[in-house]
Amino acid sequence: MLDRLPQHLKAFSSFFRVGTRSVASAAETYLLGLFASPKSNMLSMSERMLEADHQVLHHMLSDSEWDFDGLVSETSRQVNTLIGGMKAALIIDESAFAKKGEASAGVARQWNGRLGKVENSQVGVFAALAKETAVSLIDASLYLPECWLNDTARLDAVEVPASARVAQSKVELAREMIFGARRHGVRFGHVAFDAVYGSAGWLLRELDDEGITFMGEVRCDQHLFLQDPTPSVPRRTSPMGRPPSLLRTEARAITVSDWLKAQPASAWRRIVLRGGEKGLITIEALSARVWLWDGQEDHARRWHLFMRREIDRPDTVKFALSNAKADTSLHQLASMQAARFWIEHALREAKDCLGMAQYQVRKWNGWHHHMALVMLAMSFLLKEQLAHRVAVKDLTLSDLVFAIDALLPHRAHDPDSVAELIAERHQRRQSARDSAYRKQNAALLNPSAE
């Protein structure tokens, strides 16, 4: 397996060249470190791996200006070659990374789904390509909260590029990823996302206009029409004043939760989605054809309303809208909505097995470079998983990481080398303390610089 990794990395070598220098060797070491180190951060890599140097890895990750966009583009193309096609789904989701302090790019008090509360975190928007049980992350973008946008000193400190110093919502970042995947030649049958993105009506309409099939979850207060509202400009009824110019409808809109309340219990249908580790995954679902109108377009759009609930939690219902073909079956709609599981699975595995949340960088480039290398690692593991699927049916990403770690040579630790490592740790801590004191003293001597 390890002998195939250099060949896999060869296609990406040009993206690690900056001028006449290349950081490809350091990137390969870092990649192996993602497989081999329990925490997968640079400190544990340098203490565990033979050729890992903390300073060299930090420069490659945080300071070197290698091509993130090019590497992500090539990663997505390679993943597309493996699992792309009309049976694949492009899935969008966000993930939060808890952080202490205020120095890391984009850090702020914001919702952290893994912790289930608002916490000091960085939040990234991610894209994954999935087909059946195969999945790999193919794009990532760090979200900049509003509190960062007008703080030039803070943006400069973490070297946020000028192109990123504009207000962009998570939905706008998702839109860029969807159309970026298209530009990179990624083939997918539909795009799926949760209510953060599905509740943005403008995104659904733009995808519909571009012929992109979506399955977007929405909130329970989403409004819809049970009949075509046929919007029109009312006739003028008086010679006084300006003539009417705004579109109106006499049809009454209702919320998706109100529509659900009117449905009999017999309307729900049981659907087996797939086999899981604990047996068949079965849900209950129902759907209807409904109309959506934004109050401005000259026509309403007729889409599918899809609802899903778990058999053991019937009071918890997920609502979704889809512009899939009119004759799309309930089972097909259920499978499209269920594809969202795979990006959650991919993010969880990346955090548990590849140190996705264990990075030790504060700069904008450092965050994106770390995520690019995690995605590169995942693409290699996906290739290996598919290559061995016939011989080893239940081969998982964690199995492969375990195998690579077992095959890699690790640094041997005798009492003297352990003492040296501890001394190096102490030296780094003292250096960090000295730097903090210097900054603190400079601020006290020159308060106007704050």
Side-chain angles (χ1 to χ4, degrees):
M1 188 187 310
L2 283 177
D3 58 339
R4 290 187 290 275
L5 183 58
Q7 185 62 34
H8 179 74
L9 295 179
K10 191 175 181 181
F12 301 89
S13 60
S14 63
F15 305 118
F16 294 110
R17 182 165 293 281
V18 183
T20 58
R21 300 186 64 185
S22 173
V23 293
S25 178
E28 182 175 352
T29 300
Y30 191 87
L31 196 70
L32 290 171
L34 293 176
F35 297 136
S37 301
K39 288 188 176 180
S40 292
N41 59 43
M42 286 177 285
L43 178 58
S44 63
M45 290 178 191
S46 63
E47 293 177 346
R48 184 172 171 82
M49 297 181 62
L50 291 175
E51 299 180 3
D53 180 282
H54 183 273
Q55 206 166 11
V56 171
L57 294 178
H58 188 276
H59 171 76
M60 178 278 300
L61 201 64
S62 195
D63 298 325
S64 180
E65 295 286 336
W66 53 268
D67 189 358
F68 166 84
D69 291 331
L71 190 141
V72 168
S73 174
E74 180 60 28
T75 301
S76 65
R77 279 194 285 267
Q78 294 219 6
V79 172
N80 175 68
T81 300
L82 295 170
I83 59 174
M86 293 308 293
K87 292 184 178 179
L90 179 68
I91 319 164
I92 305 293
D93 202 0
E94 63 188 72
S95 190
F97 306 86
K99 290 293 167 184
K100 295 180 181 179
E102 300 179 352
S104 298
V107 71
R109 287 190 60 79
Q110 47 195 329
W111 178 255
N112 188 312
R114 199 174 199 188
L115 300 178
K117 61 180 179 179
V118 172
E119 191 56 86
N120 204 53
S121 304
Q122 292 173 294
V123 173
V125 179
F126 295 86
L129 191 67
K131 179 183 177 183
E132 297 173 347
T133 61
V135 60
S136 190
L137 298 172
I138 61 169
D139 205 352
S141 186
L142 182 62
Y143 168 66
L144 268 186
E146 188 176 348
C147 61
W148 274 77
L149 296 175
N150 296 318
D151 195 334
T152 303
R154 208 177 181 194
L155 293 167
D156 289 344
V158 295
E159 300 178 7
V160 176
S163 59
R165 298 187 183 195
V166 294
Q168 276 191 300
S169 68
K170 296 169 191 173
V171 179
E172 289 168 325
L173 293 176
R175 180 204 174 275
E176 286 188 5
M177 289 184 181
I178 295 168
F179 286 95
R182 251 192 166 189
R183 287 194 303 275
H184 298 154
V186 177
R187 295 168 295 122
F188 52 91
H190 77 285
V191 59
F193 34 74
D194 68 14
V196 171
Y197 311 93
S199 295
W202 66 265
L203 176 63
L204 303 188
R205 292 190 293 275
E206 186 170 354
L207 294 176
D208 195 33
D209 289 341
E210 292 295 324
I212 298 175
T213 302
F214 62 79
M215 172 61 76
E217 294 179 10
V218 294
R219 300 186 177 97
C220 61
D221 59 354
Q222 171 72 48
H223 282 78
L224 53 84
F225 295 88
L226 300 182
Q227 61 185 36
D228 190 342
T230 57
S232 61
V233 177
R235 291 182 179 179
R236 186 170 186 168
T237 57
S238 170
M240 304 297 290
R242 295 180 179 178
S245 59
L246 300 178
L247 292 166
R248 293 285 186 267
T249 180
E250 295 182 1
R252 186 175 70 89
I254 64 171
T255 65
V256 292
S257 58
D258 286 339
W259 184 85
L260 177 60
K261 291 174 185 175
Q263 306 311 305
S266 59
W268 291 92
R269 295 287 181 267
R270 288 204 171 186
I271 292 176
V272 176
L273 291 174
R274 58 182 175 83
E277 291 185 0
K278 299 180 180 179
L280 295 177
I281 297 175
T282 305
I283 63 164
E284 291 186 323
L286 57 83
S287 69
R289 295 281 285 163
V290 297
W291 282 263
L292 281 296
W293 182 50
D294 67 346
Q296 297 181 343
E297 292 185 314
D298 61 4
H299 66 286
R301 302 186 187 233
R302 196 176 188 191
W303 293 337
H304 294 275
L305 170 64
F306 173 80
M307 298 186 184
R308 164 184 173 159
R309 69 184 185 187
E310 311 306 313
I311 293 174
D312 58 344
R313 287 180 291 149
D315 294 333
T316 303
V317 180
K318 290 186 177 181
F319 308 91
L321 294 172
S322 177
N323 64 337
K325 293 179 180 179
D327 60 354
T328 303
S329 69
L330 183 63
H331 192 282
Q332 288 174 304
L333 292 172
S335 296
M336 290 169 64
Q337 188 275 336
R340 274 232 330 111
F341 164 81
W342 292 108
I343 193 168
E344 296 171 355
H345 176 75
L347 289 167
R348 184 169 58 252
E349 286 205 316
K351 289 181 178 182
D352 291 345
C353 303
L354 294 173
M356 184 187 218
Q358 302 293 340
Y359 50 90
Q360 294 175 308
V361 288
R362 292 176 173 176
K363 294 180 181 179
W364 177 270
N365 267 357
W367 188 92
H368 286 86
H369 287 169
H370 171 73
M371 296 305 168
L373 290 168
V374 169
M375 290 186 283
L376 179 54
M378 289 193 82
S379 70
F380 173 70
L381 294 174
L382 175 64
K383 184 182 292 185
E384 291 296 307
Q385 186 180 35
L386 295 175
H388 294 89
R389 177 164 285 181
V390 175
V392 189
K393 184 179 180 182
D394 294 327
L395 191 64
T396 65
L397 183 145
S398 61
D399 293 334
L400 290 166
V401 171
F402 170 79
I404 293 173
D405 184 26
L407 294 170
L408 277 172
H410 296 301
R411 183 175 288 182
H413 290 145
D414 55 37
D416 289 339
S417 67
V418 169
E420 288 178 9
L421 289 173
I422 292 175
E424 289 174 7
R425 286 187 174 198
H426 291 175
Q427 187 177 6
R428 277 191 291 268
R429 289 176 198 157
Q430 187 60 49
S431 177
R433 279 194 292 266
D434 292 343
S435 176
Y437 279 118
R438 283 194 299 271
K439 290 178 182 177
Q440 192 177 60
N441 291 334
L444 290 172
L445 291 172
N446 187 17
S448 62
E450 288 291 308

